[in-house]
Structures are given as C-alpha cells and as structure tokens.
Amino acid sequence: MKLKSLLKSVENFIINSHIVEDTEIKNLSEDSREDNINSNTLFFAIEGSKVDATKFIPELISRGCKTFITNKLINLENNNVNLIIVNNIRRVQAILSKEFFQHPDEKLRIIGVTGTKGKTTVSYMVFNALRGVGKNGGLIGTIEYRINDYSINADNTTPGPLYLFSLLNEIVNVNGEFVSMEVSSHGLETDRVYGLKFDAGIFTNLSREHLDFHQTMENYFNAKMKLFHQIKNTNPNGIAVINIDTDWGQKAYNVVKELGIRLITCGISKRADIMAKDVTISIDGNSFSLDCMGKKFSVRTNMVGIHNIYNALCSISALVGVFGDEKIEEYLHHIGKTTVPGRFQTVKSDKGFYVVIDYAHTPDSLEKTLETARSFSPKILTVVFGAGGDRDKGKRPLMGEIASRIADKVIITSDNPRTENPISIIDDIIQGIPENLSHKVRVVADRKIAIQTALKEAVEGEIIVVAGKGHETYQIIGTEKIHFSDYEEVISSQYF
C-alpha cells in the first residue's frame, strides 16, 4: 500500500509531514529490534513515558528504513526520509493498522469481554462453543492467543493494534468467522482496540483492581464502558451483554440503555433476559436450569462456583445475541465441557484432599474463591497466597483480612514481588489481619516451600486453595522472570 494512500485515513491527526517519496509500505513496526525493518517499513517512533523511540531513528535509517511516524516534534538531519508528526499516536497506530490489514475486523464476528473477573473464562467458553459447532476462529486473551487449534504465547491480555490487527488478518486468512477476545481496561484506556468493530461486548462484573493505573473505581468503570461507546460508534447492529446482578452491572445497564445499544441482560437473582434457576454447585461441577427468553434447558458445567454460573450466562447470552439460538443446545454442551487453566482448577490427591489453583489476586476474587471452597464444607480450608509487587498496595491488607476470616489456615507467601522486597509485601498483607485471627496465619516467603508445606500437612477432606498466579508459569523476582507453575508444583509433588 502506498504511503500517501495509507495516510489519508489519519489526515486529521497530522501536525506536520515531510514526504520525499510515496513509498510502498509492506510492513509496520514499533520495535527497532525486529529483523525485517527495511525501506518498505513504516516505523512508529513513539515517545512514551518510559522509552523515547525517536532515538532509534538514526540507526533505523542506516538499516534502510525511510518512513517514520512520531508524536514528538523533531527535525532530522537526514532530509531524505519521510517524517510524519501526529497527535494521539496510539489512535493513529490503530487506524493505520486496521487500514494496512484491510479491515479484518469487519470480516469477522468479534465478541469482546470486559470486567474485572471472568474475562478469560467467558472468552474460552465462547471460543469452545463456536469451535464445537465447526466454526473457524480465534481467541485473544490473558493465557494465550489461538488461531483455530494453533496456540501463541500471550504477552498482553489485549495486544497492541499492530499485533492485534495482524492476528485478526491471520484468522481471516484461515477462513475464520469469529474472534472471542478479552478487552482489558488498560487496552481500552490506551486505545489498543480503537476503531475495532465489535459485534458484542460483555460486561461481567467490577471489583477493585488496577487502581495504581486508574486511581479510582469510577475511572476504572468508565474505562470499561469505553467498549460500549465503541460499539455505538462502529457497529449499529452491535449488542451489549450485561450481568445485572451487581451494583456495577446496574450502572453498566444504565450506560448501555442511554447509548441505545441492543441489550441482553443475564443473571440469577434479578429478572433478566437469560436466567439461571435451580442452581446446584459441587466441587465436581455446577448444574442449573437455563431460561433463555422463555426457552428452558438443563445445563451442567465442569467449572465450579457461582461465578462460573455467571460466566456461562454471559457466554450463552452473547452467542445467542450474535449467532441466534438455533444451535443453543450445542453451545451449552461445549460451554459445559470448558475448563480453563488456573481458574478454580481442581486436583484431587490420592490421600483424599483437594487442591484448587486459582488466579484470584484481588480482594473480591480471593473472597469469592474462598467462599466457593468453603461452600463445599471441607474438613479444613487452607489458603496459600501473596500479592504482586509494584502494584496496588491498598489491596494487600484487604486480602489478608479476607483470607484470615474465611480460611482455617493461612500461609502467606510471595507472588510476583518484582522490584519490591517480598517481606515488605507480606508485612502489608499482615497489616489487615485482626489480632484475634493471627493464630491462623504463618509466613513462608518461598512460594515453592509454602505450597509443599500445605501439601505435606494436608488431611483427608481438606481443600487447599493456591491463589494468585493461576495459569502463570513464571515468577518475577527483581527484574528476572523465572519458571514457576503452581499447577506443576502441586502435581509433581510426592502427595499426588
């Protein structure tokens, strides 16, 4: 695609441009380390808060690159290159990525999932249901990116626009019909999905997380609502799916109603379009009766807990809203069989105790995970958990209070301490533990030893919840990323 033709889509963002040649653009890049940067590359030299990529321009020119877009007012000594200076470069990057890959989002049915919890599980349920009925498509989220059955490591829950639109293009190229994707508040706030046409947006719930980034819950909520504003602006046929059984769900409902988007509500305790009734929950799975706009179905799911009832309701609501109810029984079958690594992932020991590995790393998610485990009436409920470093410190004492209140035994350990002192993080957690509950609590800072300690002491009928890291296969200590998996640590122990 010729440069001038490509730039027509972002004319309103251009502050200044110096174009010496209408270069044929064959690839886009924002990473100076990429090997394929050449004379046909358009490079985004972004001045960010941590890195100023304009400093790489001289080296890239020496490698043959001659087209640069930046958000920094600069003059180049070399006048034989194309230099375009823009405002709002993140949006420019999204618009040009969409244009370069010839609008792949408009060739797919895209279901976006936002909310604090449930995004990963809902995206998997939707993906598995659609693959189960024979559709080609993709999955984009925290654990992995998938193109049909091919898995790619995920660096971000919601990738940046260059990578995102290239993934969508690859899905189109394998005759894909759909994408099920997590849409994070960071992704929405930083315009990673700007201009993307969603066919459905799902709001699962909202609880305290990422306040180091958003500062307030209201800001966090408003970031999530950008998904529905985007549907309003890009797709007149788009739908919103809202779990209305929470206060934040009611607020989201009001936002969507005001926007005038087609709406499907789901829930258990309030009257909704799609409802679960006669709910039964056990450590081996859930079952419930589904009322889908007057039609009744019996549902069983492998994924445990009331939160996974809501996840199933959100999933089926979006599927029916986008694809109709002709294959609803097949959708429900594949939703029921869905399992997700690190999301209330249950392992039973030969000694008669259970271990639950869960990604719960916020106060609300830890509370719900422990309450679910408690509902199965274990002989002893033990929790092993920590908190991430360089993140919201305010949640740490809240998690300490929750763990000591609900569990019988609490082992506080390290999560991803990053550049913080692990003991300082643990001390922050302990601050929230009431003195009369401190006898339940001990500190084992080494996560491996903490897990093995819990397993060694376990008795028949006990449930051990290992919380915080879920599917992750690493620990970040300092700036080093080392291999560590809670699941591997559990199943490879002598107690299984």
Side-chain angles (χ1 to χ4, degrees):
M1 180 177 290
K2 289 290 188 179
L3 175 62
K4 289 183 179 179
S5 176
L6 189 59
L7 292 176
K8 286 180 181 178
S9 58
V10 293
E11 285 178 343
N12 293 338
F13 295 90
I14 296 174
I15 297 171
N16 193 13
S17 65
H18 174 73
I19 298 176
V20 296
E21 180 183 336
D22 193 14
T23 305
E24 183 72 27
I25 302 300
K26 295 184 179 179
N27 70 298
L28 309 178
S29 176
E30 61 180 346
D31 187 345
S32 63
R33 297 166 296 183
E34 291 180 350
D35 293 332
N36 63 340
I37 294 175
N38 56 37
S39 62
N40 298 113
T41 299
L42 189 162
F43 187 84
F44 292 90
I46 299 173
E47 181 188 37
S49 58
K50 295 181 179 178
V51 177
D52 180 0
T54 60
K55 68 182 181 181
F56 303 125
I57 290 177
E59 183 227 334
L60 293 170
I61 290 174
S62 72
R63 290 165 56 187
C65 187
K66 56 186 179 183
T67 304
F68 302 91
I69 290 183
T70 183
N71 56 329
K72 184 178 181 180
L73 291 170
I74 58 172
N75 290 306
L76 297 179
E77 294 180 6
N78 188 329
N79 290 322
N80 294 317
V81 298
N82 302 316
L83 177 65
I84 301 97
I85 300 171
V86 300
N87 57 35
N88 214 329
I89 195 165
R90 299 295 182 183
R91 291 191 176 186
V92 167
Q93 192 180 52
I95 294 166
L96 292 181
S97 299
K98 177 169 177 166
E99 193 72 21
F100 179 80
F101 289 106
Q102 300 181 322
H103 301 231
D105 54 324
E106 296 177 11
K107 303 167 188 173
L108 297 160
R109 310 298 290 276
I110 299 179
I111 296 174
V113 191
T114 200
T116 304
K117 302 180 301 298
K119 294 189 299 296
T120 299
T121 299
V122 172
S123 64
Y124 267 89
M125 285 179 168
V126 169
F127 176 80
N128 288 344
L130 292 172
R131 289 290 288 148
V133 298
K135 292 184 183 295
N136 290 335
L139 172 75
I140 297 173
T142 303
I143 296 176
E144 62 179 340
Y145 308 145
R146 294 191 72 87
I147 301 173
N148 290 336
D149 299 322
Y150 176 67
S151 178
I152 304 165
N153 287 336
D155 291 328
N156 298 101
T157 297
T158 308
L162 268 67
Y163 192 16
L164 174 58
F165 280 98
S166 70
L167 277 174
L168 298 180
N169 187 56
E170 288 186 51
I171 294 165
V172 169
N173 288 340
V174 296
N175 299 316
E177 299 178 61
F178 75 93
V179 173
S180 177
M181 67 179 288
E182 298 181 51
V183 187
S184 68
S185 58
H186 288 73
L188 288 159
E189 197 70 14
T190 59
D191 289 325
R192 291 180 203 164
V193 295
Y194 181 78
L196 187 70
K197 183 184 74 65
F198 289 96
D199 292 276
I202 300 171
F203 178 77
T204 57
N205 50 60
L206 199 79
S207 59
R208 183 183 179 120
E209 191 175 19
H210 304 310
L211 294 195
D212 51 317
F213 181 77
H214 296 290
Q215 303 302 313
T216 68
M217 287 297 292
E218 200 65 33
N219 289 345
Y220 184 30
F221 174 76
N222 290 336
K224 297 290 189 187
M225 292 302 99
K226 286 187 175 185
L227 175 60
F228 302 108
H229 286 275
Q230 187 152 319
I231 290 174
K232 171 71 173 178
N233 293 332
T234 61
N235 189 356
N237 298 314
I239 66 166
V241 172
I242 306 291
N243 164 18
I244 59 168
D245 277 6
T246 68
D247 291 341
W248 288 110
Q250 287 291 327
K251 287 190 73 170
Y253 172 87
N254 292 333
V255 169
V256 169
K257 288 292 283 186
E258 189 172 331
L259 288 170
I261 301 170
R262 189 160 62 98
L263 173 64
I264 296 176
T265 59
C266 59
I268 299 173
S269 60
K270 293 183 171 69
R271 184 67 226 169
D273 298 315
I274 295 179
M275 290 191 69
K277 301 177 180 178
D278 305 320
V279 171
T280 302
I281 296 171
S282 78
I283 198 164
D284 297 311
N286 294 333
S287 63
F288 61 94
S289 299
L290 179 73
D291 184 336
C292 182
M293 301 177 187
K295 296 182 180 180
K296 306 289 195 304
F297 304 91
S298 295
V299 184
R300 178 168 176 79
T301 67
N302 287 334
M303 299 196 71
V304 173
I306 194 74
H307 57 291
N308 281 314
I309 302 284
Y310 284 110
N311 290 336
L313 289 172
C314 286
S315 302
I316 196 62
S317 298
L319 289 164
V320 169
V322 174
F323 295 97
D325 63 2
E326 183 181 341
K327 296 187 176 181
I328 187 170
E329 290 189 271
E330 291 178 76
Y331 294 150
L332 291 169
H333 171 76
H334 294 291
I335 286 171
K337 289 192 170 297
T338 296
T339 57
V340 182
R343 301 308 192 271
F344 215 94
Q345 185 175 7
T346 305
V347 187
K348 187 176 182 181
S349 164
D350 292 338
K351 294 189 174 183
F353 64 85
Y354 288 87
V355 178
V356 174
I357 297 157
D358 196 87
Y359 191 49
H361 59 282
T362 68
D364 187 62
S365 58
L366 182 64
E367 185 167 35
K368 285 185 167 54
T369 296
L370 291 176
E371 285 177 344
T372 298
R374 174 62 75 194
S375 72
F376 304 135
S377 302
K379 187 172 184 179
I380 299 172
L381 176 58
T382 299
V383 60
V384 180
F385 82 104
D390 302 333
R391 299 292 188 269
D392 177 14
K393 293 185 178 183
K395 71 180 183 180
R396 296 171 187 174
L398 301 177
M399 294 173 73
E401 187 279 327
I402 289 163
S404 62
R405 171 167 45 86
I406 301 175
D408 302 305
K409 291 167 57 178
V410 179
I411 300 177
I412 304 175
T413 187
S414 294
D415 190 287
N416 291 323
R418 298 183 178 89
T419 63
E420 283 194 70
N421 183 327
I423 300 302
S424 296
I425 298 171
I426 290 169
D427 286 343
D428 288 342
I429 295 170
I430 291 172
Q431 291 300 311
I433 297 170
E435 190 174 340
N436 66 320
L437 298 178
S438 61
H439 65 279
K440 296 182 177 184
V441 181
R442 73 182 118 162
V443 171
V444 183
D446 185 299
R447 194 172 183 91
K448 178 184 180 77
I449 296 174
I451 293 171
Q452 292 303 320
T453 298
L455 297 176
K456 181 180 179 181
E457 296 175 358
V459 299
E460 185 176 359
E462 182 173 350
I463 296 177
I464 300 168
V465 174
V466 182
K469 292 183 60 58
H471 65 280
E472 293 178 349
T473 56
Y474 60 82
Q475 253 191 311
I476 303 173
I477 301 174
T479 56
E480 185 181 4
K481 199 174 193 178
I482 62 172
H483 182 82
F484 189 91
S485 162
D486 288 349
Y487 177 75
E488 290 173 12
E489 200 59 45
V490 169
I491 64 166
S492 65
S493 76
Q494 62 181 297
Y495 308 104
F496 280 82

